[in-house]
């Protein structure tokens, strides 16, 4: 008898017989339910592992079809940044892939500059009673309240892009924000001399909502301060999206601060690249920013931007759905934090990189 046929013949009944327990007990272990002693649970798991038992995913998917659904609540993309477009690309891949297992998914896109749109869409999610929600938490207070309501309705939640520790029931998938800041600090230390003037820029309309950027800044500053090289660090917010509004601010900061390096904490680094590319009479500082977006890569290729730190938004979106699939259909235990790889792009290697 082939190994494949043997595996097909080995099922829940055989596991129950070897473990000397009921079929119902095996089913509770396979579905990660309670009311099974630790000793019995471990014995059943050992038998499953020894015999390489794989659940019948097709049969299981039929049992949950039209009954298992996920919501995805993220910002919509804008003309100023394609970051969320990449995230949505990964989500679309997951939606199509896991639909074959009978999982229904629906995407809700809110305006990251308008909390009212988040509240409106989160209310729709609660009305439809999904099994789980993938959330990109821009609005902290509103997200915490929404997650609390999800908990009351037994709706699981998982965060992407940024975290609100202790609130999501299934954890967080995304970059370790403190580490991305420390990485930017490390790169900075190679580009500038002691006592260099460093300018940290937060660029976005409604930047006050982007509190997660503070974690990047903390990592950046802590790393550089640990070097004891007497860097002069200034932090500035530019609460605009349009280049025509941002450019005067950049000119003012360049005149007043005369930075040796500018660290942009989000994906809007192309706006700074454009400013120095168009104003060649100005002494260009070194520039570090985030994400493999077309506009950013354009100025990286022109030698205006020194480094892009990539956080894989596409992978975040896909992995969030993949984790929900594993949790609900495969009954796997969740890891509370799944960090994304942190990639560094330069003019020398960007041509070989793909999101």
């Amino acid at each position: 008898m082939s190994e494949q046929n043997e595996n097909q013949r080995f099922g829940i009944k055989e596991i129950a017989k070897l473990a000397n327990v009921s079929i119902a007990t095996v089913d509770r272990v396979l579905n990660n339910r309670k009311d099974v002693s630790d000793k019995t649970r471990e014995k059943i798991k050992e038998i499953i592992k020894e015999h390489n038992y794989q659940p019948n995913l097709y049969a299981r998917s039929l049992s949950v079809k039209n009954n298992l659904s996920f919501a995805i609540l993220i910002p919509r993309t804008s003309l100023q940044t394609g970051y969320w477009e990449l995230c949505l690309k990964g989500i679309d891949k997951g939606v199509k892939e896991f639909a074959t297992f009978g999982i229904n998914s629906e995407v809700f896109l809110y305006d990251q500059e308008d909390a009212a749109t988040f509240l409106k869409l989160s209310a729709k999610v609660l009305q439809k009673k999904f099994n789980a929600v993938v959330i990109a938490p821009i609005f902290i207070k509103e997200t915490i309240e929404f997650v609390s309501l999800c908990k009351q309705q037994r709706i699981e939640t998982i965060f992407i892009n940024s975290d609100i520790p202790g609130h999501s029931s299934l954890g967080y998938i995304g970059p370790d924000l403190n580490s991305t800041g420390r990485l930017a600090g490390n790169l900075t230390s190679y580009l500038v001399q002691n006592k260099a003037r460093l300018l940290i820029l937060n660029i976005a309309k409604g930047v006050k909502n982007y509190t997660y950027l503070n974690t990047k800044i903390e990592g950046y500053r802590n790393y550089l301060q640990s070097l004891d090289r007497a860097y002069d660090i200034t932090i500035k917010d530019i609460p605009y999206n349009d280049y025509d509004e941002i450019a005067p601010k950049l000119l003012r900061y360049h005149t007043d601060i005369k930075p040796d390096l500018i660290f942009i904490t989000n994906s809007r680094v192309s706006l700074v690249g454009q400013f120095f590319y168009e104003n060649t009479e100005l002494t260009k500082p070194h520039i570090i920013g985030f994400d493999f977006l077309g506009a950013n890569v354009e100025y990286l290729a022109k030698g205006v931007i020194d480094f892009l730190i990539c956080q894989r938004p596409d992978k975040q979106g896909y992995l969030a759905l993949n984790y929900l699939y594993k949790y609900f259909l495969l009954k796997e235990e969740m890891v509370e934090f799944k960090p994304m790889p942190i990639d560094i792009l330069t003019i020398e290697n960007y041509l070989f990189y793909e999101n």
Side-chain angles (χ1 to χ4, degrees), residues 11 60 78 81 92 145 155 157 188 211 231 258 275 299 322 333 339 350 352:
R60 185 174 287 182
S78 66
T81 174
D92 286 342
E145 292 173 352
I155 300 172
T157 54
T188 295
T211 56
Y231 293 120
K258 296 181 176 58
F275 174 78
Y299 291 102
N322 185 50
E333 295 182 7
Y350 78 93
F352 314 109

Side-chain angles (χ1 to χ4, degrees), residues 12 22-33 44 60:
I12 294 178
S22 67
I23 292 175
T25 299
V26 176
D27 184 70
R28 282 195 290 271
V29 172
L30 289 172
N31 289 282
N32 200 28
R33 298 194 186 104
I44 291 172
R60 185 174 287 182

Side-chain angles (χ1 to χ4, degrees), residues 68-72 103 131-134 156-158 170 173 318-330 334:
L68 189 61
S69 58
F70 304 150
I72 301 97
I103 298 173
N131 297 93
V133 191
V134 178
E156 303 289 357
T157 54
I158 186 168
L170 295 181
I173 297 175
Y318 173 80
L319 280 181
L321 290 178
N322 185 50
Y323 267 49
L324 292 179
Y325 155 76
K326 290 181 177 180
Y327 178 79
F328 284 98
L329 204 56
L330 303 187
M334 294 293 294

Side-chain angles (χ1 to χ4, degrees), residues 126 144-156:
L126 292 171
I144 291 174
E145 292 173 352
F146 171 58
V147 168
S148 177
L149 293 173
C150 287
K151 185 176 181 181
Q152 292 177 23
Q153 295 191 19
R154 297 185 178 180
I155 300 172
E156 303 289 357

Side-chain angles (χ1 to χ4, degrees), residues 37 70 104 108 125 129 140 160 171 181 264 271 276 281 342 348:
S37 69
F70 304 150
N104 301 306
F108 298 83
V125 171
K129 297 182 179 179
I140 305 302
I160 60 172
I264 299 90
L271 297 168
F276 285 102
E281 74 281 3
I342 306 173
E348 287 78 21

